[in-house]
């Protein structure tokens, strides 16, 4: 109701506050406690995060309300897709270079206005126990307009202190199954950890992607990735 009846009449600052509050409300309704370390957050940054679940969007928005870049399929998910669209998500048609150029222009425009944009450079989800290769293409718009790239690590933990796989939206898991697993989790905690910003010292997008992946691995409490393999980033 807030998105439908209030968002259209709000200024940008109010919308960001409402977006954060709405996202926190969704986390509360799912029984997820947010533990966010924002010590390195910088306004107007390109947020680069690992991707585990559909709920990642609301974890980030609760702490750092942002415009998102997401795959086109999300737009058609029941309720979740509608909420994502109303919360400034930019939908990327995968496999279309022409569409990617349009999206990159939109990202640069948003960042140029001093607002945050969030991307998932793995391009898909994992179960949270490892990272995939980071694609550097969506990082370029931030570098082009001189905006910082902020690595953000997301991880999920159970009430017993162990890493939880309940939120993982991977493989053959359906949206309904994933949601039921999240709701059934006992004292689920979403941890969000920021790392020092990148991209302001002349690094190219491949270097930024490599460094961001290393920082996110550390922030999520994962083993250090094999840096030698990271050079296989697509241009």
């Amino acid at each position: 109701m807030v998105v439908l009846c209030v968002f259209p009449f709000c200024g940008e600052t109010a919308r960001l506050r409402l977006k954060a509050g709405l996202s926190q409300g969704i986390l509360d309704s799912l029984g997820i406690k947010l533990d966010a370390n924002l010590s390195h957050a910088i306004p107007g940054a390109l947020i680069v995060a690992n991707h585990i679940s559909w709920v990642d969007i609301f974890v980030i928005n609760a702490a750092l309300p942002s415009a998102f870049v997401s795959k086109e399929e999300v737009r058609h998910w029941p309720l979740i897709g509608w909420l994502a669209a109303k919360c400034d998500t930019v939908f990327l048609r995968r496999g279309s270079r022409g569409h990617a150029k349009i999206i990159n222009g939109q990202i640069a425009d948003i960042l140029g206005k001093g607002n945050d944009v969030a991307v998932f450079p793995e391009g898909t989800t994992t179960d949270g126990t490892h990272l995939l290769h980071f694609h550097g293409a969506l990082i370029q718009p931030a570098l082009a307009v001189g905006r910082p790239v902020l690595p953000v690590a997301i991880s999920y933990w159970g009430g017993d202190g162990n890493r939880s796989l309940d939120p993982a939206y991977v493989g053959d898991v359906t949206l309904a199954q994933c949601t039921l697993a999240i709701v059934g989790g006992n004292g689920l905690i979403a941890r969000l950890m920021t790392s020092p910003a990148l991209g302001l010292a002349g690094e190219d997008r491949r270097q930024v992607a490599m460094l961001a992946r290393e920082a996110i691995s550390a922030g999520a409490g994962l083993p250090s990735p094999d840096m030698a393999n990271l050079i296989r980033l697509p241009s």
Side-chain angles (χ1 to χ4, degrees):
M1 291 300 294
V2 171
V3 171
L4 183 64
C5 300
V6 180
F7 267 27
F9 306 101
C10 289
E12 192 165 345
T13 301
R15 278 173 57 88
L16 291 175
R17 287 200 301 264
L18 285 170
K19 187 188 297 186
L22 172 65
S23 297
Q24 182 62 62
I26 291 174
L27 297 182
D28 291 341
S29 70
L30 293 171
I32 298 176
K33 180 181 178 181
L34 177 61
D35 178 12
N37 182 328
L38 306 180
S39 57
H40 299 290
I42 301 174
L46 180 71
I47 294 169
V48 173
N50 58 315
H51 199 11
I52 299 169
S53 177
W54 61 268
V55 81
D56 295 345
I57 290 175
F58 302 106
V59 169
I60 294 175
N61 262 333
L64 296 166
S66 310
F68 272 80
V69 179
S70 183
K71 60 183 180 181
E72 177 73 19
E73 293 93 321
V74 173
R75 187 198 297 269
H76 306 292
W77 290 357
L79 183 59
I80 302 301
W82 180 81
L83 281 172
K86 294 298 182 180
C87 289
D88 303 320
T89 300
V90 178
F91 296 102
L92 174 63
R93 192 178 307 131
R94 293 184 295 184
S96 172
R97 291 190 176 183
H99 192 244
K101 290 181 179 179
I102 295 173
I103 296 300
N104 284 351
Q106 293 177 351
I107 294 172
D109 182 62
I110 295 170
L111 292 173
K113 295 177 181 177
N115 296 321
D116 293 340
V117 178
V119 299
F120 299 115
E122 291 169 289
T124 188
T125 54
T126 71
D127 64 3
T129 63
H130 62 284
L131 297 179
L132 302 176
H133 290 298
F134 277 22
H135 301 277
L138 288 178
I139 293 174
Q140 183 59 39
L143 303 181
V145 294
R147 298 307 305 166
V149 175
L150 181 70
V152 170
I154 299 173
S155 57
Y156 295 94
W157 304 82
D160 58 2
N162 293 319
R163 189 182 303 273
S164 175
L165 303 184
D166 289 337
Y169 187 37
V170 293
D172 296 328
V173 175
T174 66
L175 181 61
Q177 290 171 334
C178 181
T179 303
L180 288 174
I182 291 172
V183 173
N186 183 21
L188 198 63
I189 299 172
R191 290 181 181 162
L192 187 150
M193 177 72 68
T194 59
S195 296
L198 304 169
L200 299 178
E203 309 100 314
D204 64 29
R205 66 189 186 189
R206 294 191 180 197
Q207 292 172 314
V208 172
M210 181 176 65
L211 293 170
R213 187 173 185 264
E214 180 73 15
I216 289 171
S217 179
L222 300 175
S224 179
D226 182 0
M227 298 296 284
N229 289 334
L230 297 184
I231 60 173
R232 301 201 310 267
L233 293 169
S235 60

